[in-house]
Amino acid sequence: MNEHLLKILIIGDGNVGKSSFLHRYVNGQFNKMYKMTMGVDYALKLLHWSDKEKVRLQLWDIAGQERFISMNRVYYRGALGCVVMFDVTSSASFLSCRHWKRDLDNKAMLPNGESIPCILLANKCDLPQRVVPPDSIDKFSKANGFITWMEISVKENKNVGEAMRRLVQDILSV
Ligand code: GDP
């Protein structure tokens, strides 16, 4: 049995749904009262990836209530994958993704010097008042080196597990 230990970061502006995502993915629940994290929240999840492989995920929720804060290098150290999240009803949170990705690429890299696999997640797609159109997301994702992007709804549990599987798949294939 092969066992992998993967540190994965979840970054993005405050209020986009990072803590809810982590909570949903780890516990399978969505709690409207789940409060904003201050600092770093940390969770573990074990995946039975295949007959021969187990994956232990170390998930770091890097909360920023500010629009964008540059993170200390210590948060990025040893990270093998990353989720950059925004809220489709907030164009400001979408614009911030450029800064989050740049900060990540400046401070985290794989031992071979390449940038770490990063997926772009467009959360709250259950809400009717979306302001960020899919073609803008697609263009942005391709131009900024994301492995791919996905629409998710933490509230409706849409694409949460799928997004993490896609990221883990990419990390393991590096
Ligand atoms: P964080 O600051 O990025 O960690 O965001 P939170 O996880 O605290 O979520 C911010 C707010 O968005 C909370 O009120 C959540 O209930 C809400 N929220 C999170 N995900 C969704 C979603 O998929 N749909 C909707 N409608 N609300 C969501």
Side-chain angles (χ1 to χ4, degrees), residues 30-41:
F30 181 79
N31 181 351
K32 278 209 293 214
M33 300 302 287
Y34 196 72
K35 67 178 197 304
M36 256 193 177
T37 37
M38 306 283 290
V40 175
D41 210 5

Side-chain angles (χ1 to χ4, degrees), residues 17 44 52 62 89 111 116-117 151 153 174:
L44 290 168
K52 294 191 200 116
I62 291 172
T89 70
I116 67 173
E151 277 194 354
S153 166
V174 165

Side-chain angles (χ1 to χ4, degrees), residues 12-21 30-37 61 63-65 85 87 123-127 152-156:
D13 279 4
N15 213 40
V16 300
K18 300 182 301 298
S19 310
S20 307
F21 176 82
F30 181 79
N31 181 351
K32 278 209 293 214
M33 300 302 287
Y34 196 72
K35 67 178 197 304
M36 256 193 177
T37 37
D61 170 17
Q65 293 187 44
M85 189 179 294
D87 167 355
N123 190 30
K124 308 197 189 179
C125 69
D126 56 283
L127 293 175
I152 68 165
S153 166
V154 173
K155 184 176 183 184
E156 294 183 347

Side-chain angles (χ1 to χ4, degrees), residues 25-90:
Y25 181 60
V26 173
N27 302 320
Q29 281 167 14
F30 181 79
N31 181 351
K32 278 209 293 214
M33 300 302 287
Y34 196 72
K35 67 178 197 304
M36 256 193 177
T37 37
M38 306 283 290
V40 175
D41 210 5
Y42 172 92
L44 290 168
K45 182 157 172 120
L46 180 65
L47 298 178
H48 297 281
W49 192 251
S50 71
D51 292 349
K52 294 191 200 116
E53 285 173 304
K54 257 195 224 170
V55 176
R56 243 175 243 284
L57 299 179
Q58 235 185 43
L59 301 156
W60 293 48
D61 170 17
I62 291 172
Q65 293 187 44
E66 297 81 359
R67 267 168 48 86
F68 172 74
I69 44 167
S70 176
M71 300 303 300
N72 191 300
R73 277 176 196 277
V74 74
Y75 296 117
Y76 291 113
R77 193 171 300 146
L80 294 177
C82 183
V83 170
V84 174
M85 189 179 294
F86 70 97
D87 167 355
V88 291
T89 70
S90 155

Side-chain angles (χ1 to χ4, degrees), residues 14 16-17 23-24 26 41 43 45-46 48 57 60 87 90 101 104 107 130 140 149-150 157 159:
V16 300
H23 200 61
R24 163 73 88 187
V26 173
D41 210 5
K45 182 157 172 120
L46 180 65
H48 297 281
L57 299 179
W60 293 48
D87 167 355
S90 155
K101 181 68 162 66
L104 173 78
K107 293 176 184 166
R130 73 177 289 159
F140 173 76
W149 70 277
M150 280 169 97
N157 200 13
N159 274 346

